[in-house]
Amino acid sequence: TQLLEQSPQFLSIQEGENLTVYCNSSSVFSSLQWYRQEPGEGPVLLVTVVTGGEVKKLKRLTFQFGDARKDSSLHITAAQPGDTGLYLCAGLNTDKLIFGTGTRLQVFP
Amino acid sequence: DARVTQTPRHKVTEMGQEVTMRCQPILGHNTVFWYRQTMMQGLELLAYFRNRAPLDDSGMPKDRFSAEMPDATLATLKIQPSEPRDSAVYFCASGFGDTDTQYFGPGTRLTVL
């Protein structure tokens, strides 16, 4: 069974702080995605990383795919209350997504 | 504004009752996924279809769950009989071809008493 472990599980920070969320697996994935989910809604895709070592930036969010394509990280610079939500990583295996355990982020003003 | 729609948004039922959840994928999408989300297990894939044919339902309890696509604009997930452990949020997502981009619906929150 492929598992994606995320850490930390919960994160509460003040506006303006930086944070990093990690997504780790013992399995290799062809690509890895990050989603954000807000209460009462479905997950929304933020980014897909495909190549080992790839780094993608989305405004204040930086995503990195590990060289071995087994792990990934999400770094948020100067977090804002609007960043609050559940962050999910998901590894693509053929055409099925395996979702991580999730990181619940709360950013206080 | 193309979106995946799901009905009902909330469902409360008693143990033993049949539950049917519906999903309308984004027009033109040919792949439909059903997921279940709980606090304990996170987001789990139950089943998915491509061009209305079931490709994988290994994540679904076969004895009580069934998923169908009567036509390209409707996917259904049925639980019969329902049990309290089925309480969860059920999401439908759609995509096109073998692209890895999935668009999620707002979910159906099911509570089985």
Side-chain angles (χ1 to χ4, degrees):
Chain A
T1 302
Q2 293 176 302
L3 293 174
L4 279 165
E5 296 286 338
Q6 288 184 236
S7 60
Q9 191 175 357
F10 299 97
L11 193 53
S12 292
I13 60 172
Q14 291 293 128
E15 182 176 4
E17 292 184 28
N18 301 333
L19 66 114
T20 302
V21 177
Y22 299 93
C23 172
N24 295 294
S25 175
S26 58
S27 301
V28 175
F29 293 99
S30 57
S31 65
L32 195 135
Q33 300 182 329
W34 284 93
Y35 289 79
R36 180 169 65 212
Q37 184 180 14
E38 298 187 21
E41 298 181 9
V44 175
L45 179 65
L46 296 174
V47 78
T48 301
V49 285
V50 179
T51 307
E54 182 177 2
V55 177
K56 279 193 175 178
K57 294 196 175 191
L58 188 66
K59 296 183 181 178
R60 294 176 294 99
L61 279 59
T62 302
F63 305 86
Q64 184 162 8
F65 201 10
D67 290 342
R69 291 187 288 130
K70 293 182 180 181
D71 53 81
S72 181
S73 64
L74 158 60
H75 182 79
I76 301 179
T77 303
Q80 298 177 2
D83 296 327
T84 293
L86 176 66
Y87 288 81
L88 296 162
C89 65
L92 188 67
N93 179 6
T94 57
D95 50 1
K96 291 164 54 174
L97 282 177
I98 310 297
F99 278 86
T101 49
T103 295
R104 198 167 293 277
L105 172 65
Q106 177 87 50
V107 182
F108 293 98
Chain B
D1 184 23
R3 296 186 188 189
V4 175
T5 58
Q6 291 186 245
T7 57
R9 291 295 313 274
H10 302 272
K11 177 71 176 179
V12 180
T13 191
E14 293 188 345
M15 183 173 63
Q17 296 298 304
E18 178 179 299
V19 175
T20 299
M21 291 168 272
R22 294 176 175 80
C23 167
Q24 183 173 5
I26 292 173
L27 189 64
H29 283 187
N30 67 345
T31 308
V32 174
F33 303 83
W34 281 105
Y35 292 89
R36 175 172 62 186
Q37 186 174 41
T38 61
M39 288 294 292
M40 294 299 294
Q41 299 297 327
L43 199 58
E44 304 173 285
L45 178 66
L46 296 175
Y48 74 103
F49 295 76
R50 178 157 296 143
N51 298 321
R52 297 176 55 200
L55 290 190
D56 189 333
D57 62 1
S58 59
M60 204 164 66
K62 302 289 191 306
D63 55 339
R64 299 182 299 108
F65 285 58
S66 61
E68 295 179 348
M69 279 202 73
D71 61 61
T73 64
L74 177 64
T76 62
L77 180 65
K78 188 176 297 185
I79 308 174
Q80 168 63 20
S82 58
E83 296 182 1
R85 59 178 167 155
D86 300 330
S87 297
V89 182
Y90 290 82
F91 288 102
C92 172
S94 71
F96 181 74
D98 57 0
T99 177
D100 56 10
T101 300
Q102 298 183 21
Y103 298 84
F104 282 77
T108 293
R109 181 174 294 276
L110 173 65
T111 303
V112 183
L113 304 174

